[in-house]
Amino acid sequence: MKRVILIGAQGKMGKAALSGLRKHEVITASRSGDGCDFHVDITNKESIKALYQKVGPFDAVVNTVGFCEYAQFEKMTEEQWDTTIQSKLLGQINVVKVGLDFIKDSGSFTLISGILNVKPIPFAIADATTSGAIDTFVKCVAHELPRNIRINVVNPTVLEEAWDVYGEMMPGFQPVPGALVGKAFERSVDGFISGQVLFVDA
Ligand SMILES: NC(=O)c1ccc[n+]([C@@H]2O[C@H](COP(=O)([O-])OP(=O)(O)OC[C@H]3O[C@@H](n4cnc5c(N)ncnc54)[C@H](OP(=O)(O)O)[C@@H]3O)[C@@H](O)[C@H]2O)c1
């Protein structure tokens, strides 16, 4: 059994990840902390550090947080770009950067991206751009991580559990069950792979 920190645990993707982590001791966190063990704001490095200090020794971090703004490219404001970059891109990078000072030897990080960087749809340019950047970050930074620490990213299509929210903006997409996406998180945490983008698509 591993000690796994799951950030964003009460979200739709967090619940999908949790389904693949049941054999582990899972410590949950989110921005509000509602229904979780701890609160953390991934856009704030001090908040990330405080979470790791409070949790104590751990083997893995699974982050399912990455807030994105949705708008047509021509109408996207600088603030909307910044909000998305601070959360989905820099927030996740800082979960790893700060986490390196705390995670055990041979530990692992698992991040979240999303299929829209390879299957674009209208209004999703910020999500697509930051998802692509996170996929690249994971593939490349894996070569630099010390102490046998691994890193992967789960890149899923839309969840069945989120189809009522996103279905209308994603015609022609086939949603997948959260339990299937949970398997990808399990493969990342329990396997030996690193630097991989784990696509889950129908
Ligand atoms: N849903 C899908 O079908 C799907 C498919 C592919 C990829 N994704 C990606 O998965 C990610 C999560 O999506 P979701 O559908 O799970 O969203 P969600 O249901 O809205 O959940 C978001 C979660 O993130 C937490 N959160 C938000 N900002 C935070 C911050 N700054 N620090 C810490 N926690 C924060 C929220 O915590 P509080 O509630 O406590 O604020 C909540 O637990 C997104 O990047 C999305 O693009 C989603």
Side-chain angles (χ1 to χ4, degrees), residues 9 22-23 25 29 37 60 75-76 79 97 131-132 153 173 179 190:
R22 299 222 180 268
K23 65 168 91 73
E25 180 194 353
D37 300 312
K75 297 199 172 139
M76 280 282 290
E79 287 72 28
K97 175 72 167 61
S131 286
V153 54
F173 281 72
D190 293 328

Side-chain angles (χ1 to χ4, degrees), residues 40 58 66 108 145 148 163 195:
V40 65
F58 56 88
S108 73
L145 296 188
N148 286 322
W163 189 244

Side-chain angles (χ1 to χ4, degrees), residues 2-22:
K2 296 179 176 175
R3 288 194 91 216
V4 182
I5 301 176
L6 173 57
I7 306 176
Q10 288 291 336
K12 290 186 170 70
M13 195 52 69
K15 287 177 180 163
L18 188 60
S19 72
L21 301 171
R22 299 222 180 268

Side-chain angles (χ1 to χ4, degrees), residues 11-13 30-32 40-42 64-66 88 156-157 159:
K12 290 186 170 70
M13 195 52 69
S30 78
R31 185 174 42 194
S32 68
V40 65
D41 179 356
I42 71 158
T64 61
V65 176
K88 191 143 188 174
T157 192
L159 295 170

Side-chain angles (χ1 to χ4, degrees), residues 24-158:
H24 299 300
E25 180 194 353
V26 180
I27 297 132
T28 55
S30 78
R31 185 174 42 194
S32 68
D34 291 350
C36 292
D37 300 312
F38 295 101
H39 64 84
V40 65
D41 179 356
I42 71 158
T43 67
N44 179 321
K45 278 199 274 190
E46 286 307 312
S47 175
I48 298 170
K49 184 176 175 188
L51 170 70
Y52 292 143
Q53 285 172 329
K54 280 184 262 179
V55 169
F58 56 88
D59 304 285
V61 179
V62 172
N63 179 68
T64 61
V65 176
F67 179 79
C68 301
E69 294 278 3
Y70 293 87
Q72 285 174 335
F73 174 59
E74 282 188 303
K75 297 199 172 139
M76 280 282 290
T77 65
E78 205 167 317
E79 287 72 28
Q80 286 178 308
W81 274 108
D82 193 51
T83 302
T84 307
I85 288 165
Q86 290 301 328
S87 185
K88 191 143 188 174
L89 182 54
L90 283 176
Q92 295 206 85
I93 289 172
N94 284 330
V95 163
V96 177
K97 175 72 167 61
V98 178
L100 283 179
D101 291 337
F102 296 93
I103 195 165
K104 285 190 194 171
D105 291 356
S106 303
S108 73
F109 294 95
T110 308
L111 305 183
I112 186 70
S113 58
I115 205 71
L116 301 178
N117 67 315
V118 287
K119 288 185 173 180
I121 61 169
F123 299 101
I125 189 63
D127 185 340
T129 303
T130 51
S131 286
I134 281 295
D135 285 358
T136 300
F137 168 70
V138 163
K139 281 192 271 189
C140 298
V141 83
H143 300 287
E144 291 193 47
L145 296 188
R147 301 187 285 113
N148 286 322
I149 294 166
R150 299 182 298 109
I151 186 166
N152 298 291
V153 54
V154 176
N155 185 328
T157 192
V158 61

